[in-house]
Amino acid sequence: MRPPRSPRPAGTGSPPWKKRSEHRGRDAPRGFPRDHEGPVVIYGYHSVAEALANPRRKPIRLLATENALSRLSEAGLLGRVEPEIVRPGAIDRLLTPDAVHQGLYLEAEALEGPTLETIPRDGLVLVLDQITDPHNVGAIVRTAAAFAVDAIVTTARHSPEATGVLAKSASGGLEHAPLVLVQNLARALQALGDRGFLRIGLDSEGDASFDEATIGAGGVALVLGAEGKGLRQLTRETCDRLARLDAPGAIKSLNVSNAAAIALYVARRAKPLSAAGTD
């Protein structure tokens, strides 16, 4: 195994892969856009293990402590990239002080994702309206992967990138819940509507309870707004209906990631995975 390279010094400005590419954020780009510009940073055992197990994810550099490397070896996840054995402090210096890396740090290429046009017409989709907290988005991605969501649509701006804290919070979910980055969310919702998707906005002031919503065999897009602000006005107007999540307890509002989990559970019960298909 080769000796580890010196860690990148922190605070030296944005690396070149942070520059926005010309195609990023278009509603209907040609080919398949990537969920992040340039290499992504993935740390923590579950996130790194899922990335190494994903044949679509191309690893670039793997830093691991001896114990963490043994875990990967026991799981049969080595061989795609030559690991660099390091002490925990070497990984600490690459991350924020509160990052829990469990002795693993991976740099990998961004994943290619679907476009709005390639999402199955009878698919289940999450649409995120300017949810900016990477912990919340990561938790939503993890839940979306658990419920076999076909895509998560979000804006290229006003949303966290698919790397670092988001990847850790997703705990491997990024490998299974593809992201579709768009420039204008209202236009993306219109495009989904043109393809036959039922667009349901989750809103505390919705006219009906979400568990009473009629979900047919066609595509369904669940639209979630940012905490505090909720859905923006134009987003609300672009939805086919607004539905609320009724809670019997004293606290009526939920964290957006919890709301996503409940809504996906209800939606997937009404729309079993066996009903999913392709165009």
Side-chain angles (χ1 to χ4, degrees), residues 232-264:
R232 290 176 295 161
Q233 184 62 32
L234 185 56
T235 303
R236 291 164 57 95
E237 294 173 354
T238 315
C239 291
D240 297 299
R241 64 184 66 165
L242 298 176
R244 63 183 185 274
L245 293 175
D246 288 332
I251 296 178
K252 301 301 181 182
S253 61
L254 295 171
N255 174 282
V256 66
S257 63
N258 293 333
I262 294 172
L264 285 175

Short mmCIF file of all heavy atoms in Angstrom, two decimals, residues 232-264:
data_model
loop_
_atom_site.label_atom_id
_atom_site.label_comp_id
_atom_site.label_asym_id
_atom_site.label_seq_id
_atom_site.Cartn_x
_atom_site.Cartn_y
_atom_site.Cartn_z
N ARG A 232 -43.00 27.76 -0.95
CA ARG A 232 -43.11 29.11 -1.51
C ARG A 232 -44.42 29.23 -2.30
O ARG A 232 -44.98 28.23 -2.75
CB ARG A 232 -41.91 29.40 -2.42
CG ARG A 232 -40.60 29.56 -1.65
CD ARG A 232 -39.45 29.75 -2.61
NE ARG A 232 -39.23 28.55 -3.41
CZ ARG A 232 -38.55 28.54 -4.55
NH1 ARG A 232 -38.05 29.66 -5.04
NH2 ARG A 232 -38.40 27.41 -5.22
N GLN A 233 -44.88 30.46 -2.46
CA GLN A 233 -46.18 30.71 -3.07
C GLN A 233 -46.29 30.10 -4.47
O GLN A 233 -47.27 29.44 -4.80
CB GLN A 233 -46.46 32.21 -3.13
CG GLN A 233 -47.85 32.57 -3.66
CD GLN A 233 -48.96 32.02 -2.79
OE1 GLN A 233 -48.82 31.89 -1.57
NE2 GLN A 233 -50.09 31.67 -3.43
N LEU A 234 -45.27 30.32 -5.31
CA LEU A 234 -45.33 29.78 -6.67
C LEU A 234 -45.33 28.26 -6.66
O LEU A 234 -45.99 27.61 -7.49
CB LEU A 234 -44.16 30.32 -7.50
CG LEU A 234 -44.15 29.93 -8.98
CD1 LEU A 234 -45.45 30.37 -9.66
CD2 LEU A 234 -42.94 30.55 -9.69
N THR A 235 -44.60 27.68 -5.72
CA THR A 235 -44.59 26.21 -5.60
C THR A 235 -45.99 25.71 -5.22
O THR A 235 -46.49 24.74 -5.80
CB THR A 235 -43.58 25.77 -4.53
OG1 THR A 235 -42.27 26.27 -4.87
CG2 THR A 235 -43.52 24.25 -4.43
N ARG A 236 -46.62 26.39 -4.26
CA ARG A 236 -47.98 26.01 -3.86
C ARG A 236 -48.94 26.06 -5.04
O ARG A 236 -49.77 25.17 -5.24
CB ARG A 236 -48.47 26.94 -2.75
CG ARG A 236 -47.75 26.79 -1.43
CD ARG A 236 -48.01 27.98 -0.52
NE ARG A 236 -49.42 28.18 -0.28
CZ ARG A 236 -50.09 27.72 0.76
NH1 ARG A 236 -49.45 27.00 1.68
NH2 ARG A 236 -51.38 27.94 0.91
N GLU A 237 -48.81 27.12 -5.83
CA GLU A 237 -49.73 27.30 -6.96
C GLU A 237 -49.51 26.27 -8.06
O GLU A 237 -50.43 26.00 -8.84
CB GLU A 237 -49.55 28.71 -7.52
CG GLU A 237 -49.99 29.82 -6.56
CD GLU A 237 -49.64 31.20 -7.07
OE1 GLU A 237 -48.96 31.28 -8.13
OE2 GLU A 237 -50.02 32.19 -6.42
N THR A 238 -48.31 25.70 -8.11
CA THR A 238 -48.01 24.72 -9.15
C THR A 238 -48.43 23.31 -8.76
O THR A 238 -48.49 22.41 -9.61
CB THR A 238 -46.50 24.76 -9.49
OG1 THR A 238 -46.08 26.11 -9.63
CG2 THR A 238 -46.21 24.05 -10.81
N CYS A 239 -48.71 23.08 -7.48
CA CYS A 239 -49.16 21.76 -7.03
C CYS A 239 -50.61 21.54 -7.43
O CYS A 239 -51.39 22.47 -7.54
CB CYS A 239 -49.01 21.65 -5.51
SG CYS A 239 -47.30 21.59 -4.93
N ASP A 240 -50.98 20.28 -7.63
CA ASP A 240 -52.36 19.94 -7.94
C ASP A 240 -53.25 20.04 -6.70
O ASP A 240 -54.43 20.35 -6.80
CB ASP A 240 -52.44 18.51 -8.51
CG ASP A 240 -51.69 18.39 -9.82
OD1 ASP A 240 -52.05 19.09 -10.78
OD2 ASP A 240 -50.73 17.60 -9.87
N ARG A 241 -52.67 19.71 -5.55
CA ARG A 241 -53.42 19.81 -4.30
C ARG A 241 -52.45 20.01 -3.15
O ARG A 241 -51.26 19.69 -3.25
CB ARG A 241 -54.25 18.56 -4.07
CG ARG A 241 -53.44 17.29 -3.88
CD ARG A 241 -54.32 16.06 -3.75
NE ARG A 241 -55.05 15.78 -4.98
CZ ARG A 241 -55.65 14.62 -5.23
NH1 ARG A 241 -55.62 13.65 -4.33
NH2 ARG A 241 -56.28 14.41 -6.36
N LEU A 242 -52.97 20.55 -2.05
CA LEU A 242 -52.20 20.72 -0.83
C LEU A 242 -52.80 19.83 0.25
O LEU A 242 -54.02 19.79 0.42
CB LEU A 242 -52.21 22.18 -0.37
CG LEU A 242 -51.61 23.22 -1.33
CD1 LEU A 242 -51.79 24.62 -0.78
CD2 LEU A 242 -50.13 22.92 -1.58
N ALA A 243 -51.96 19.11 0.94
CA ALA A 243 -52.44 18.19 1.96
C ALA A 243 -51.64 18.37 3.23
O ALA A 243 -50.46 18.73 3.20
CB ALA A 243 -52.34 16.75 1.46
N ARG A 244 -52.28 18.14 4.34
CA ARG A 244 -51.62 18.30 5.63
C ARG A 244 -51.41 16.94 6.28
O ARG A 244 -52.12 15.97 5.98
CB ARG A 244 -52.46 19.19 6.54
CG ARG A 244 -53.81 18.59 6.88
CD ARG A 244 -54.69 19.50 7.74
NE ARG A 244 -55.92 18.82 8.13
CZ ARG A 244 -57.01 18.79 7.39
NH1 ARG A 244 -57.04 19.43 6.21
NH2 ARG A 244 -58.09 18.14 7.80
N LEU A 245 -50.43 16.88 7.17
CA LEU A 245 -50.20 15.69 7.98
C LEU A 245 -50.82 15.95 9.35
O LEU A 245 -50.30 16.74 10.14
CB LEU A 245 -48.70 15.39 8.11
CG LEU A 245 -47.97 14.97 6.84
CD1 LEU A 245 -46.48 14.83 7.11
CD2 LEU A 245 -48.52 13.66 6.30
N ASP A 246 -51.93 15.31 9.62
CA ASP A 246 -52.63 15.53 10.88
C ASP A 246 -51.92 14.81 12.01
O ASP A 246 -51.58 13.62 11.91
CB ASP A 246 -54.08 15.04 10.78
CG ASP A 246 -54.93 15.95 9.91
OD1 ASP A 246 -54.61 17.15 9.84
OD2 ASP A 246 -55.89 15.45 9.29
N ALA A 247 -51.69 15.53 13.10
CA ALA A 247 -51.07 14.95 14.29
C ALA A 247 -52.01 15.15 15.48
O ALA A 247 -52.46 16.28 15.72
CB ALA A 247 -49.71 15.60 14.55
N PRO A 248 -52.33 14.11 16.23
CA PRO A 248 -53.28 14.24 17.33
C PRO A 248 -52.71 14.87 18.59
O PRO A 248 -53.46 15.27 19.48
CB PRO A 248 -53.71 12.79 17.59
CG PRO A 248 -52.51 11.99 17.20
CD PRO A 248 -51.90 12.72 16.03
N GLY A 249 -51.39 14.97 18.68
CA GLY A 249 -50.77 15.47 19.89
C GLY A 249 -50.76 16.99 19.99
O GLY A 249 -51.26 17.71 19.12
N ALA A 250 -50.13 17.47 21.06
CA ALA A 250 -50.10 18.91 21.32
C ALA A 250 -49.23 19.64 20.31
O ALA A 250 -49.49 20.79 19.96
CB ALA A 250 -49.58 19.16 22.74
N ILE A 251 -48.17 19.00 19.84
CA ILE A 251 -47.28 19.60 18.84
C ILE A 251 -47.76 19.19 17.46
O ILE A 251 -47.85 18.01 17.14
CB ILE A 251 -45.81 19.17 19.07
CG1 ILE A 251 -45.33 19.69 20.42
CG2 ILE A 251 -44.93 19.68 17.94
CD1 ILE A 251 -43.91 19.27 20.77
N LYS A 252 -48.10 20.17 16.65
CA LYS A 252 -48.71 19.90 15.34
C LYS A 252 -47.69 19.90 14.19
O LYS A 252 -47.96 19.34 13.13
CB LYS A 252 -49.79 20.94 15.05
CG LYS A 252 -50.90 20.97 16.08
CD LYS A 252 -51.62 19.63 16.18
CE LYS A 252 -52.75 19.67 17.19
NZ LYS A 252 -53.41 18.35 17.34
N SER A 253 -46.55 20.54 14.39
CA SER A 253 -45.57 20.62 13.30
C SER A 253 -44.49 19.57 13.49
O SER A 253 -44.16 19.18 14.61
CB SER A 253 -44.92 22.01 13.26
OG SER A 253 -44.24 22.28 14.48
N LEU A 254 -43.94 19.10 12.37
CA LEU A 254 -42.91 18.08 12.38
C LEU A 254 -41.65 18.58 11.68
O LEU A 254 -41.73 19.42 10.78
CB LEU A 254 -43.40 16.81 11.66
CG LEU A 254 -44.56 16.06 12.30
CD1 LEU A 254 -45.04 14.97 11.35
CD2 LEU A 254 -44.15 15.45 13.63
N ASN A 255 -40.51 18.05 12.09
CA ASN A 255 -39.29 18.26 11.32
C ASN A 255 -39.52 17.77 9.91
O ASN A 255 -40.19 16.76 9.69
CB ASN A 255 -38.14 17.49 11.99
CG ASN A 255 -36.87 17.53 11.20
OD1 ASN A 255 -36.73 16.79 10.23
ND2 ASN A 255 -35.94 18.36 11.60
N VAL A 256 -38.96 18.48 8.92
CA VAL A 256 -39.25 18.15 7.52
C VAL A 256 -38.82 16.74 7.15
O VAL A 256 -39.48 16.07 6.36
CB VAL A 256 -38.62 19.19 6.58
CG1 VAL A 256 -37.09 19.14 6.65
CG2 VAL A 256 -39.10 19.02 5.15
N SER A 257 -37.75 16.25 7.75
CA SER A 257 -37.33 14.88 7.44
C SER A 257 -38.30 13.87 8.02
O SER A 257 -38.56 12.81 7.42
CB SER A 257 -35.91 14.63 7.95
OG SER A 257 -35.84 14.74 9.37
N ASN A 258 -38.87 14.16 9.20
CA ASN A 258 -39.88 13.28 9.77
C ASN A 258 -41.15 13.31 8.94
O ASN A 258 -41.80 12.27 8.72
CB ASN A 258 -40.20 13.69 11.21
CG ASN A 258 -39.04 13.47 12.15
OD1 ASN A 258 -38.21 12.59 11.92
ND2 ASN A 258 -38.96 14.25 13.20
N ALA A 259 -41.52 14.51 8.48
CA ALA A 259 -42.70 14.62 7.63
C ALA A 259 -42.51 13.82 6.34
O ALA A 259 -43.44 13.17 5.86
CB ALA A 259 -42.96 16.09 7.31
N ALA A 260 -41.30 13.86 5.78
CA ALA A 260 -41.02 13.11 4.57
C ALA A 260 -41.18 11.61 4.81
O ALA A 260 -41.74 10.88 3.98
CB ALA A 260 -39.61 13.41 4.07
N ALA A 261 -40.71 11.13 5.96
CA ALA A 261 -40.81 9.71 6.27
C ALA A 261 -42.27 9.26 6.37
O ALA A 261 -42.65 8.21 5.83
CB ALA A 261 -40.06 9.41 7.57
N ILE A 262 -43.08 10.05 7.06
CA ILE A 262 -44.49 9.68 7.22
C ILE A 262 -45.20 9.70 5.87
O ILE A 262 -45.95 8.78 5.52
CB ILE A 262 -45.18 10.64 8.21
CG1 ILE A 262 -44.59 10.46 9.61
CG2 ILE A 262 -46.69 10.41 8.22
CD1 ILE A 262 -45.06 11.49 10.61
N ALA A 263 -44.95 10.76 5.09
CA ALA A 263 -45.61 10.88 3.79
C ALA A 263 -45.21 9.75 2.85
O ALA A 263 -46.05 9.20 2.12
CB ALA A 263 -45.28 12.23 3.17
N LEU A 264 -43.93 9.38 2.87
CA LEU A 264 -43.48 8.31 1.99
C LEU A 264 -44.07 6.97 2.43
O LEU A 264 -44.39 6.12 1.58
CB LEU A 264 -41.96 8.24 1.97
CG LEU A 264 -41.26 9.33 1.16
CD1 LEU A 264 -39.75 9.23 1.32
CD2 LEU A 264 -41.63 9.22 -0.32
#
